[in-house]
Amino acid sequence: MTEKKTVEVATLGAPRIGRHRELKFALESYWSGKSSAEDLLETARTLRAQRWQEQRDRGVTRIPSNDFSLYDHVLDTAVMVGAVPPAYGWQGGPVSLDTYFAMARGSQKGPEAGCSHGSHGGHGVTAMEMTKWFDTNYHYMVPELAVEQEFNLTSAKPVEEFLEAKALGIHTRPVILGPVTFLKLAKPQEDGFDPLVLLPKLLPVYEEVLQHLKEAGADWVQIDEPALALDLVPNERDALKFACAKLAAAAPGLKLMLATYFGELGDNLETALALPVAGLHLDLVRAPQQLDAVLSTACKDLVLSLGVIDGRNIWRADLPVILKRLEAAASTREAGIEVAPSCSLLHVPIDLDLETALDADVKSWLAFAAQKMDELSLLARALNEGRDAVAAELAASVEAIAARVSSAKVHDPVVASRVAAVTPDMANRKRPFGKRADLQRAKLGLPAFPTTTIGSFPQTAEVRKARAAHAKGAMSPADYEAFLQRETADAIRWQEEIGLDALVHGEFERNDMVQYFGEKLSGFAFTKNAWVQSYGSRYVRPPVIYGDVSRPEPMTVGWWRYAQSLTDRPVKGMLTGPVTILNWSFVRDDLPRSQVCRQIALAIRDEVADLEKAGAAMIQIDEAALREGLPLRRSDWKTYLDWAVDCFRLTASGVEDATQIHTHMCYSEFNDIIDAIAAMDADVISIETSRSRMELLDAFRSYKYPNEIGPGVYDIHSPRVPEVKEMADLLGLARQRLADTQIWINPDCGLKTRKWEEVRPALVNMVTAARQLRAAAGA
């Protein structure tokens, strides 16, 4: 009789940021020159040690290493293989921290060798492009690869961090982004060039890394190939076969765990099961249906890592239900199984125990990264020792699930009735865009190439200090409101002085573009310390949608009315759209996402109506996250886009035709969804285009998009201040793609994360570029 294999516990990856955001503060201190590189690296070492030790203490037996990053793991991979674009001045050898961060953030100082990357007449070096990591709210830096690209091992980070853990007495399983996914995510520097052809040149670097890891004592390495959850063509599947064969043979005795996540293998299942790897990780949260097929066809000696705990959301797991499925799987696998989250725990907050003020009922329904490790360990104990060993914990899981299902805090019959009463006409404007545009131009009286910003202005230390003081009761409501009024008045006055055409109030009263609205809507809960990394040092605390959503009272009208009273120029009403609120929240899992989104849409629709009633002639409804909710498989797109667009239109279509509706999107590939963007029928859309040198406008040109567009000319994710000529050049590229009557001029995104000393000169330059354009165009 075959001896039963011990069930292992894996995490695939853990949050990087530290319980108290230590990484954020260390990075920002280094960037500002207040601390040294060694200070930053010491903080990183401390965080890594804490992460490894906590996972070990919570029963994780397959502890990852090399899942930590100072900024982004895709950028780390590019640096590891020497894929540093020539413009950054790198001459070979180790890549310096300054070059690494210049690739991530840009630099006013310029590259090492004095050339510039896309500055086009300005000073300094711009950052590489950034976009969403699959369908998450995490952003990665897009590798840039050329036809003649050469690869060399320039960073020993995977080996160094394995040895770092080993010195602490912790044996880890290093994590490396797979070569096929790396190349598939890369941006070709020449049109028509497929980076996948570089695979034979890239693989020797990966082989070298694996050999060094084997020599260092590693017995397993996790190779992440989430591209297997995408629609792949035959040559991409062939590339995976070729790559895995090379990697499996690179270091005999070293076992490879191939990790797929974010969806179903589907038509890639046969390919995945044929790869010469020792283990395969499956996302059984997004795609539980694939388990039976894998169990019936996988070879006997393949270790299966079963992703049964949700790595993307924060709801407590129904452990008895999961355990029943695992027991059936474990009984059939001679090679053994691992229990794991569906994906890296990077995407969830660190520890629920840090939340001391959260509603007790809601808290009892949640599990953050630490609690998910506990859930995994409990499942493994039940499989290894029997259910009796964890009987009390299983009973507690059942009780928590039942309490949530029956809670009156979750269900509101009024909301359900209102959703049921929605009609198709509620999602349609009265006239088509062309006729609306004439009415809007007559009402607003704006010049050609109107200038505006996306909404927020810098959240200075003074603003954050006042908000904190008010929250703690150290500043009275009256004093806090007076402070915010002064900030708003200063912002309005300054925008008038520099000559912006459509103004914003600056959003000084808002903590976050989603949290602010969620705090004023029913059905939302909020945390104090549940931070999740969005990119680099940018962390967010996503709201928790636990119940039915409605709007008890107006949320923004008072601040809009105050700002508009200070100026004769139009001030935009600023709202976050329903799809973005949904996609940037932890969403309840007991209703379809489409139904939750429709509830939010009705709440925001009420706010739009009240803004218009108060006199707002221009209302912006941001849908920055519309594309990131797009399913990974094209066959699923239409269903999502249909309800997402319908929810936006439901929000925006209750106004008169002379009221101009704006929306904003950032860091999206628009080619894929241009039909849906057009169907949204916003009067003006502002988008991020500066890093791509207006390439993103090609989709709008090809589609012959009829509405107005504000292509971003100022990269707000970089500390650089672009010069007038740089912005003017970008506008020239925009005019090659759009009609002059379509073009608005604005930054890429909101400015809350930037400093005033960067924002002021950048926006002055932007207004100057607009005036030069008007003069050149005779407008």
Side-chain angles (χ1 to χ4, degrees):
M1 184 175 178
T2 304
E3 182 181 353
K4 181 181 177 182
K5 294 280 187 178
T6 299
V7 174
E8 305 284 354
V9 178
T11 57
L12 306 188
R16 309 161 176 164
I17 61 181
R19 269 180 158 68
H20 304 289
R21 293 182 290 165
E22 292 92 337
L23 182 58
K24 172 186 176 67
F25 300 125
L27 284 168
E28 293 175 353
S29 177
Y30 173 71
W31 292 336
S32 67
K34 296 177 182 177
S35 60
S36 67
E38 183 51 42
D39 293 332
L40 172 61
L41 297 177
E42 178 58 31
T43 297
R45 282 191 289 269
T46 299
L47 289 173
R48 287 194 293 269
Q50 291 172 350
R51 295 161 79 247
W52 291 324
Q53 289 163 359
E54 176 170 13
Q55 290 177 80
R56 180 180 61 182
D57 293 345
R58 291 185 181 274
V60 179
T61 56
R62 297 295 188 193
I63 300 172
S65 60
N66 197 45
D67 59 319
F68 181 89
S69 176
L70 289 175
Y71 202 94
D72 164 51
H73 58 277
V74 183
L75 177 61
D76 292 348
T77 307
V79 167
M80 180 185 78
V81 302
V84 180
Y88 291 96
W90 176 67
Q91 300 298 316
V95 177
S96 70
L97 271 182
D98 285 346
T99 298
Y100 176 87
F101 287 128
M103 295 168 71
R105 307 174 64 241
S107 172
Q108 198 74 28
K109 297 178 182 179
E112 292 179 356
C115 55
S116 73
H117 177 260
S119 59
H120 304 280
H123 298 295
V125 59
T126 58
M128 295 167 62
E129 286 187 42
M130 180 170 65
T131 194
K132 300 294 175 69
W133 173 246
F134 292 80
D135 58 351
T136 74
N137 191 34
Y138 176 82
H139 301 64
Y140 74 93
M141 306 307 303
V142 181
E144 298 177 11
L145 302 178
V147 173
E148 68 280 4
Q149 186 74 47
E150 298 295 331
F151 298 105
N152 293 284
L153 183 59
T154 61
S155 168
K157 180 177 179 291
V159 180
E160 291 169 352
E161 294 187 8
F162 173 81
L163 292 173
E164 192 178 307
K166 187 176 181 180
L168 297 172
I170 300 174
H171 187 78
T172 61
R173 182 167 69 188
V175 179
I176 301 175
L177 178 62
V180 175
T181 296
F182 175 76
L183 292 174
K184 190 169 174 61
L185 295 180
K187 176 185 178 181
Q189 292 185 334
E190 295 89 0
D191 290 340
F193 165 57
D194 182 359
L196 203 58
V197 303
L198 297 171
L199 184 62
K201 297 172 70 173
L202 176 63
L203 285 176
V205 180
Y206 274 77
E207 294 174 72
E208 189 176 352
V209 172
L210 294 180
Q211 290 160 6
H212 289 322
L213 285 169
K214 174 70 183 307
E215 293 166 3
D219 54 353
W220 279 88
V221 173
Q222 177 181 315
I223 305 291
D224 282 4
E225 288 285 9
L228 276 161
L230 303 175
D231 293 314
L232 299 181
V233 294
N235 75 299
E236 292 170 330
R237 295 192 184 103
D238 290 342
L240 282 161
K241 296 174 186 176
F242 176 70
C244 284
K246 287 284 189 180
L247 299 184
L254 183 66
K255 299 177 181 179
L256 302 183
M257 171 60 71
L258 185 69
T260 71
Y261 39 82
F262 300 150
E264 182 181 15
L265 288 169
D267 54 359
N268 298 322
L269 176 61
E270 183 178 350
T271 298
L273 292 178
L275 298 175
V277 293
L280 178 66
H281 172 78
L282 304 167
D283 183 340
L284 298 180
V285 174
R286 282 285 185 93
Q289 68 278 5
Q290 64 185 333
L291 179 59
D292 290 341
V294 172
L295 290 176
S296 64
T297 55
C299 62
K300 295 185 295 184
D301 58 352
L302 183 69
V303 175
L304 293 181
S305 170
L306 305 181
V308 292
I309 296 296
D310 196 342
R312 295 276 299 274
N313 213 332
I314 58 173
W315 300 104
R316 190 168 177 169
D318 191 335
L319 295 177
V321 170
I322 293 173
L323 184 57
K324 184 176 181 180
R325 298 184 68 219
L326 288 174
E327 288 168 338
S331 66
T332 67
R333 300 304 301 167
E334 294 182 13
I337 64 171
E338 297 179 4
V339 293
S342 56
C343 60
S344 168
L345 295 175
L346 166 71
H347 306 287
V348 294
I350 293 178
D351 191 351
L352 185 61
D353 289 345
L354 296 174
E355 301 303 323
T356 58
L358 196 59
D359 177 271
D361 289 336
V362 174
K363 185 174 180 178
S364 72
W365 305 334
L366 305 181
F368 293 176
Q371 288 69 43
K372 291 178 185 293
M373 294 176 199
D374 293 341
E375 289 180 329
L376 291 166
S377 297
L378 191 148
L379 290 169
R381 280 188 61 201
L383 293 168
N384 289 327
E385 304 172 26
R387 289 192 176 217
D388 289 346
V390 292
E393 291 89 340
L394 293 176
S397 174
V398 171
E399 182 179 353
I401 298 295
R404 181 182 168 207
V405 168
S406 62
S407 175
K409 296 178 179 179
V410 173
H411 307 290
D412 183 346
V414 174
V415 174
S417 297
R418 191 177 180 202
V419 169
V422 170
T423 65
D425 285 345
M426 293 172 66
N428 294 319
R429 300 287 292 270
K430 296 174 183 176
R431 294 181 178 87
F433 168 74
K435 294 183 177 180
R436 297 199 310 264
D438 291 340
L439 294 171
Q440 292 162 14
R441 288 171 186 148
K443 182 176 183 178
L444 294 168
L446 298 175
F449 308 108
T451 55
T452 189
T453 64
I454 304 304
S456 60
F457 279 141
Q459 295 271 320
T460 63
E462 291 77 14
V463 171
R464 295 193 301 272
K465 181 179 178 181
R467 182 181 299 128
H470 176 249
K472 295 175 182 176
M475 178 182 282
S476 71
D479 288 344
Y480 184 52
E481 182 167 355
F483 169 82
L484 293 174
Q485 287 181 342
R486 290 193 297 272
E487 293 290 318
T488 303
D490 288 346
I492 292 291
R493 187 180 309 111
W494 179 75
Q495 291 174 84
E496 286 186 320
E497 288 172 358
I498 69 169
L500 283 167
D501 301 307
L503 312 188
V504 298
H505 78 287
E507 303 179 15
F508 303 106
E509 80 285 3
R510 303 186 189 183
N511 41 24
D512 175 83
M513 66 180 292
V514 173
Q515 181 177 345
Y516 176 81
F517 290 96
E519 287 176 342
K520 296 178 180 299
L521 296 169
S522 64
F524 283 76
F526 293 87
T527 61
K528 297 292 186 183
N529 298 289
W531 297 99
V532 178
Q533 186 179 29
S534 179
Y535 62 87
S537 66
R538 170 68 169 157
Y539 307 156
V540 294
R541 287 179 300 168
V544 179
I545 305 178
Y546 68 86
D548 289 338
V549 178
S550 61
R551 186 197 72 147
E553 60 185 11
M555 303 178 286
T556 67
V557 175
W559 282 110
W560 176 84
R561 184 181 283 119
Y562 173 71
Q564 187 63 78
S565 73
L566 303 172
T567 180
D568 293 331
R569 299 184 191 184
V571 177
K572 290 192 286 188
M574 299 300 305
L575 305 174
T576 302
V579 183
T580 296
I581 291 177
L582 182 88
N583 285 335
W584 286 358
S585 298
F586 290 121
V587 183
R588 59 191 291 188
D589 58 359
D590 60 335
L591 280 183
R593 290 174 69 87
S594 58
Q595 189 169 334
V596 179
C597 194
R598 192 171 295 261
Q599 292 180 1
I600 302 170
L602 288 170
I604 302 299
R605 179 185 176 94
D606 291 343
E607 189 70 14
V608 170
D610 282 344
L611 280 168
E612 184 184 50
K613 190 182 302 181
M618 188 183 292
I619 301 171
Q620 182 169 310
I621 308 168
D622 288 345
E623 284 294 17
L626 185 137
R627 193 195 186 283
E628 77 181 41
L630 196 67
L632 299 181
R633 296 294 186 134
R634 190 175 290 269
S635 60
D636 299 323
W637 285 9
K638 186 179 186 303
T639 298
Y640 166 76
L641 289 172
D642 282 351
W643 64 252
V645 169
D646 185 66
C647 285
F648 177 84
R649 292 175 64 110
L650 181 61
T651 300
S653 296
V655 298
E656 295 299 319
D657 289 327
T659 299
Q660 191 174 71
I661 296 294
H662 290 234
T663 192
H664 170 69
M665 296 182 183
C666 53
Y667 300 103
S668 296
E669 293 295 335
F670 296 112
N671 290 289
D672 296 336
I673 61 168
I674 189 65
D675 288 342
I677 293 173
M680 291 170 68
D681 198 28
D683 298 307
V684 183
I685 179 174
S686 54
I687 58 175
E688 174 276 326
T689 52
S690 68
R691 289 194 182 191
S692 72
R693 299 278 299 161
M694 298 289 162
E695 289 177 7
L696 292 176
L697 290 178
D698 289 341
F700 293 86
R701 177 175 60 176
S702 299
Y703 186 82
K704 297 182 180 178
Y705 184 80
N707 299 24
E708 296 175 20
I709 310 175
V713 297
Y714 165 26
D715 176 13
I716 66 87
H717 293 290
S718 171
R720 295 180 62 252
V721 176
E723 294 189 348
V724 174
K725 185 179 185 304
E726 181 177 338
M727 295 184 180
D729 288 346
L730 289 173
L731 288 170
L733 294 173
R735 293 182 72 197
Q736 295 174 14
R737 295 165 166 87
L738 302 172
D740 285 355
T741 53
Q742 288 181 282
I743 297 175
W744 285 63
I745 300 174
N746 45 256
D748 277 345
C749 199
L751 298 164
K752 66 176 292 185
T753 61
R754 298 264 56 91
K755 299 177 181 177
W756 274 113
E757 51 265 37
E758 300 160 358
V759 167
R760 287 192 179 99
L763 291 185
V764 167
N765 289 350
M766 187 185 82
V767 172
T768 302
R771 288 171 175 164
Q772 290 180 358
L773 177 57
R774 289 171 194 153

